[in-house]
């Protein structure tokens, strides 16, 4: 494992009465692609701006490469930001934009020329150096913003929803380009998005946040397959989240039916949240399932069909590659391994409370 | 049909342009190039070479430039402070700076006459402090002072506007790339406010160059600007032809100075005043 490059220690930040971050603790390893993921207003941008030096936390420290940088201004930090709205300098050509940071560092003219050419090549915009900012499309501007940041060879690149303004196709292309860049350059990426698919595709590590608290930290697989609570499960992909009762170890009761599962240690007769991913639900003949119900809707989604199946008043979301008809009576079953059991939050608020990893 | 309608809508403006712009300029040009009995002459244009006129136009240029430079030096930092304040009453403070513009301009200048007079408040204070009465009125410096006082808002507003158009994330991006405050000022804020500066310069320099009321009231007839000369030709000498000739020359100076400024105005923000 590579070493810790950045640590956030007990970071608290509030605007007036609004506590945006509450005792946030997080570290970033060298060369990691780490993504802050969460719904709008959960404090992702604030976290990134604290790292970039544009905000100072009320409490807590930011350690970068062993040094406390909490109070260091942005221009003295060895990291660069790609802003959501590109923030290119409108009065400069593309080449001048890219050269800006290097000129400040008083690099030689040859070095700067080389770097401009190299950076434009890296973002697939060779020959754009003399163009004006206005003459570029959104995606091209975004790539220039990335080029402008990486020519400075920062240790860390911060990106705040850099693909937010782009259309789906371009966004996917850019995702691959960013991953390629990261691998080519060997820099640490701290990435902010509220798009869970983007996070799953690109990240080494995902940090799921809600209302200023970290909900879960883990690899995309961990976050997707083993969400620690209903919030994470709900936020990462579609899921069926049901109220259940843990009858005893390895047996959970859902919608009045007892199911075998693999979880232990919840005690007996405890209320729990049960999460089952739609692709883990199997459709079988009515008599073979552990529940039966009627299909209420079928939507074609390209790779699969998305079905709603009404069982005992609960509408199951099911993904299948086979075509069924609306109104068909079917049975459903789930293998024990695919049933996720999670403690219920004690109160509404606790959904947002920090979970011990 | 629709096109015709639209052209008809432009009618009133065409009448306006013809009646209030083209016609008066034509009349001035006519007077400028004719003698009192209507014969063509170039003498009134050439009259600018008269030492008295040369002196006054040079003085006009000198005072106009001084006024513009002082306004710029005052307005730029002020606009920067105003636009960087993110407090709730920002627009109210800007409004305070603009407020004097809405008061009668003669009144404002006249009040300075009283304040700066030998028996005025300032001199009363100076006498009390033992500096004796100082002659404050009727000097070129006082005229410049009056011009600055009068025209400053015209410098502040366009610069302030161009500054508020600079987005925060541009500044943050510059800082992120390693720029300190001075670099940000020189490489980002200044270039992005050039068009505002040019608008401001034109809006201050042109009225300052052509002004005659301020020099009349605060210069007491001792400071003879080209505007005063022209005014005298019309009002006292009643030589309308000479007055028109000098006006045309002044207009050429104005157009020339605006053309010079336009060279610096790359993104055309100053075009608003053309
Ligand atoms: N400058 C500010 N002044 C006051 N409140 C702020 C400020 N910046 C952010 N906030 C508040 O802090 C909270 C978190 O904001 P933040 O921008 O970090 O959210 P986010 O996770 O980036 O959301 P989004 O996905 O919408 O960008 C929000 O409630 C927001 O209203
Ligand atoms: Mg944000």
């Amino acid at each position: 494992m590579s070493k810790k490059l950045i640590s956030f220690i007990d970071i608290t930040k509030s605007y007036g009465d609004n506590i945006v971050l509450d005792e946030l603790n997080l570290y970033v390893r060298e060369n990691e692609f780490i993504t802050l993921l969460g719904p709008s207003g959960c404090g992702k941008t604030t976290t990134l701006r604290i790292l970039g030096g544009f905000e100072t936390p009320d409490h807590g420290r930011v350690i970068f490469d062993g040094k406390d940088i909490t109070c260091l201004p942005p221009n003295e930090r060895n990291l660069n930001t790609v802003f959501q709205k590109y923030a290119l300098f409108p009065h400069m050509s593309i080449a001048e934009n890219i050269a800006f940071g290097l000129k400040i560092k008083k690099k030689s003219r040859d070095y700067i020329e080389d770097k401009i050419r190299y950076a434009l090549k890296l973002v697939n915009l060779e020959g754009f150096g003399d163009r004006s900012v206005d003459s570029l499309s959104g995606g091209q501007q975004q790539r220039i913003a990335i080029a402008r940041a990486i020519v400075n060879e920062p240790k860390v690149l911060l990106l705040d929803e850099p693909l937010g303004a782009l259309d789906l196709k371009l966004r996917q292309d850019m995702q691959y380009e960013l991953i390629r860049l990261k691998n080519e350059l060997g820099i640490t990426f701290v990435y902010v998005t509220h798009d869970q698919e983007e996070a799953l595709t690109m990240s080494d590590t995902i940090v799921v946040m809600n209302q200023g608290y970290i909900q879960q930290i883990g690899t995309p697989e961990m976050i997707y397959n083993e969400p620690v609570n209903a919030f994470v499960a709900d936020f990462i992909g579609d899921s069926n989240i049901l109220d259940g009762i843990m009858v005893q170890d390895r047996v959970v009761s859902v919608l009045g039916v007892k199911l075998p599962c693999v979880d232990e240690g919840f005690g007996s007769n405890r209320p729990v949240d049960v999460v089952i991913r739609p692709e883990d639900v199997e459709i079988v003949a009515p008599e073979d399932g552990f529940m039966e119900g009627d299909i209420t809707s079928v939507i074609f989604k390209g790779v699969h069909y998305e079905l709603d199946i009404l069982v005992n008043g609960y509408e199951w979301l099911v993904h299948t590659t086979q075509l069924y008809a609306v109104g068909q009576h079917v049975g459903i079953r789930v293998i024990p391994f695919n049933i996720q059991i999670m403690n219920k939050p004690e109160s509404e608020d606790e959904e947002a409370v920090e979970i011990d990893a | 049909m629709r096109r015709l309608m639209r052209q008809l809508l432009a009618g009133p403006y065409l009448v306006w342009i013809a009646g209030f712009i083209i016609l008066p300029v034509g009349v001035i040009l006519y007077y400028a190039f004719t003698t009192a009995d209507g014969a063509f002459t170039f003498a009134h244009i050439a009259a600018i070479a008269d030492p008295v006129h040369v002196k006054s136009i040079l003085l006009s240029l000198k005072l106009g430039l001084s006024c513009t430079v002082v306004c710029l030096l005052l307005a730029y930092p002020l606009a920067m402070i105003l636009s960087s304040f993110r407090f709730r009453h920002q627009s109210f403070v800007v409004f305070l700076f603009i407020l004097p513009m809405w008061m009668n301009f003669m009144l404002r200048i006249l009040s300075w006459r009283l304040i700066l007079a030998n028996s005025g408040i300032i001199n009363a204070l100076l006498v009390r402090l033992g500096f004796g009465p100082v002659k404050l009125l009727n000097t070129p410096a006082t005229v410049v002072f009056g011009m600055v006082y009068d025209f400053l808002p015209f410098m502040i507003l366009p610069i302030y506007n161009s500054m508020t158009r600079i987005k925060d994330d541009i500044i943050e991006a510059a800082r992120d790339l390693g720029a300190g405050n001075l670099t940000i000022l020189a490489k980002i804020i200044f270039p992005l406010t050039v068009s505002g500066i040019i608008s401001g310069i034109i809006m201050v320099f042109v009225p300052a160059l052509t002004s005659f009321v301020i020099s009349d009231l605060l210069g007491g007839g001792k400071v003879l600007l080209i505007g005063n000369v022209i005014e005298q030709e019309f009002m006292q000498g009643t030589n309308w032809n000479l007055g028109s000739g000098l006006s045309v020359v002044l207009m050429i100076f104005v157009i020339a100075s605006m053309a010079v400024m336009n060279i610096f105005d790359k993104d055309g923000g100053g075009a608003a005043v053309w």
Side-chain angles (χ1 to χ4, degrees), chain A residues 108-156:
Chain A
S108 75
R109 179 178 298 231
D110 289 345
Y111 178 89
I112 293 177
E113 295 273 308
D114 273 358
K115 274 287 185 185
I116 292 173
R117 217 170 305 124
Y118 161 77
L120 285 174
K121 190 165 176 206
L122 208 58
V123 296
N124 281 330
L125 288 174
E126 283 159 294
F128 276 63
D130 296 328
R131 298 267 294 262
S132 73
V133 171
D134 295 339
S135 72
L136 264 55
S137 75
Q140 290 168 334
Q141 290 193 28
Q142 187 56 281
R143 282 186 273 170
I144 296 303
I146 292 166
R148 183 178 67 176
I150 58 182
V151 287
N152 301 290
E153 300 175 355
K155 271 209 148 118
V156 183

Side-chain angles (χ1 to χ4, degrees), chain A residues 52 64 91 93 98 104 112 158 168 259 265 286 296 300-301 306 340:
Chain A
F64 180 81
H91 56 297
S93 72
I98 296 174
I104 287 171
I112 293 177
L158 314 184
L168 184 66
L259 307 181
T296 56
F300 179 59
K301 285 279 186 178
E306 188 178 284
Q340 284 286 320

